[in-house]
Amino acid sequence: MLPTSLEQFASDNNSGICPEALDYTLQANLGSAPAYGNDEWTERASDYFRQIFETDCEVFFAFNGTAANSLALASLCQSYHSVICHETAHVETDECGAPEFFSNGSKLLLGKGEDGKLNPDAIATLLTKRSDIHYPKPKVISLTQATELGTVYSLEELEGIGAIAQQYQLKIHMDGARFANAIASLNQSPAELTWKRGVDVLCFCGTKNGMAMGEAILFFDKTLAEDFAYRCKQAGQLASKMRFIAAPWLGLLETGAWLNNALHANQCAAYLAQQLTQFPEVQLLFPRQANAVFVQMPEAVLHYLRQQGWQFYTFIGVGGARFMCSWNTTQARMDGLIADVQTALKI
Ligand SMILES: *Cc1c(COP(=O)(O)O)cnc(C)c1O
């Protein structure tokens, strides 16, 4: 047996495959099926997305989030267009220029806004800065839901952004790396948080929710999906054994695991935030609204935690430590961390 480390709050990507995703994968492995998405699993998963989003959207799959975001943005933009996103957006900070690369040069315009969220004022500032031909024309607003800083856009906030998008004829792309956590946090339907608020395309992440790999790309405006299949294929994102992305997706959706996993992760983060902020030396950096807890704590404590083998990031957003919960976070793991923080504070 290889050693496995459970002492981690580094990322929801560090977690394994959840039982439901694994179970459906094993079912899909019985016998053969047509390749390249022409199988029944892919059809059933796509139909299930249409059902839970209550609309006849176009559904595609990709291996990871960088590809999903980049290809989706490329389908909304010409090379001379620009994409408005928050300065801490994953498309800006963690995709190695892939959105610009796949769109043949569309520029990202970075907006500001509290708690990792764009707002209509920040968007308007970027939109009205220039209107001449020497500057790339704004075409898309990209929102991350839940955000990179563990916060969520409320219905009202999405409404406000939808209004400015409509006013300036901009498309809306949603990076849903933690879309399930946003749904679990807001207790709103997927439709309410997407197409009913003007979202044109959603990149819905299965990986962080409990799959081995796989993202769904949902086009609510079907005209934007024209030729998207070619874009996926050219970018090396058309899985030949597509059923092994589609089946675990169906497993998450059909059993309700997608929401249960997110609820569990959010509840863990709520507990962690509540326990950690009982120590006067620990400050919450952003409201805890999804499955991440960002805190400021003494450097000596962070050092001690690392010595004890705890894994977490300190480079996301504005510094501080990020503790990320997932479907397999346990009470014992959280209590172990809290106990070690307490010990470190006494040293
Ligand atoms: C994890 C993540 C992605 C996807 O990243 P990949 O490593 O390409 O799968 C996209 N957006 C956000 C906000 C993320 O956290």
Side-chain angles (χ1 to χ4, degrees), residues 50-321:
R50 294 181 191 109
Q51 192 179 319
I52 68 167
F53 281 83
E54 305 170 70
T55 187
D56 185 25
C57 51
E58 291 280 356
V59 182
F60 301 87
F61 297 96
F63 291 107
N64 65 28
T66 298
N69 283 335
S70 303
L71 297 173
L73 287 172
S75 73
L76 305 181
C77 281
Q78 296 289 339
S79 57
Y80 49 83
H81 284 142
S82 56
V83 174
I84 293 172
C85 65
H86 194 270
E87 58 188 353
T88 57
H90 195 273
V91 289
E92 157 67 10
T93 62
D94 288 281
E95 300 191 355
C96 196
E100 295 92 330
F101 175 74
F102 282 108
S103 60
N104 295 314
S106 303
K107 187 180 169 74
L108 299 183
L109 304 182
L110 308 183
K112 297 196 183 296
E114 259 182 55
D115 300 333
K117 290 188 273 185
L118 283 174
N119 57 63
D121 284 347
I123 294 168
T125 302
L126 291 171
L127 285 174
T128 53
K129 196 166 105 180
R130 292 272 293 269
S131 59
D132 58 277
I133 202 158
H134 304 279
Y135 200 68
K137 184 181 175 187
K139 182 73 179 186
V140 181
I141 299 171
S142 176
L143 304 174
T144 310
Q145 176 79 316
T147 73
E148 288 76 2
L149 303 185
T151 56
V152 297
Y153 287 93
S154 68
L155 270 190
E156 295 71 31
E157 288 171 325
L158 293 174
E159 200 92 60
I161 292 169
I164 197 166
Q166 199 162 35
Q167 186 186 344
Y168 288 90
Q169 295 180 320
L170 305 176
K171 305 289 180 201
I172 301 181
H173 158 260
M174 187 170 273
D175 175 347
R178 299 187 180 89
F179 183 72
N181 302 90
I183 293 282
S185 172
L186 290 161
N187 198 22
Q188 295 285 344
S189 73
E192 286 293 344
L193 287 179
T194 55
W195 60 272
K196 288 192 180 174
R197 303 275 92 70
V199 173
D200 295 290
V201 54
L202 169 71
C203 298
F204 189 169
C205 180
T207 312
K208 283 175 175 142
N209 193 245
M211 284 170 53
M213 74 194 77
E215 319 291 305
I217 303 149
L218 275 50
F219 283 88
F220 303 112
D221 178 348
K222 291 175 98 169
T223 59
L224 296 169
E226 200 191 334
D227 292 344
F228 192 74
Y230 289 90
R231 211 181 269 288
C232 289
K233 173 66 190 180
Q234 187 182 50
Q237 291 290 322
L238 176 61
S240 50
K241 294 192 180 179
M242 184 72 94
R243 64 190 182 281
F244 294 112
I245 293 180
W249 255 124
L250 189 65
L252 288 178
L253 299 176
E254 211 166 53
T255 64
W258 72 282
L259 203 48
N260 292 334
N261 286 351
L263 276 168
H264 172 79
N266 289 6
Q267 279 161 5
C268 287
Y271 174 78
L272 205 52
Q274 185 240 334
Q275 293 294 310
L276 289 175
T277 51
Q278 284 182 11
F279 305 116
E281 295 89 345
V282 179
Q283 283 93 39
L284 203 59
L285 285 168
F286 312 107
R288 194 293 314 163
Q289 295 173 334
N291 57 327
V293 182
F294 284 80
V295 288
Q296 197 78 60
M297 51 168 90
E299 196 52 50
V301 176
L302 299 179
H303 182 70
Y304 179 79
L305 292 179
R306 286 199 193 93
Q307 272 184 339
Q308 299 306 305
W310 292 105
Q311 296 161 28
F312 51 92
Y313 289 154
T314 49
F315 67 86
I316 312 251
V318 294

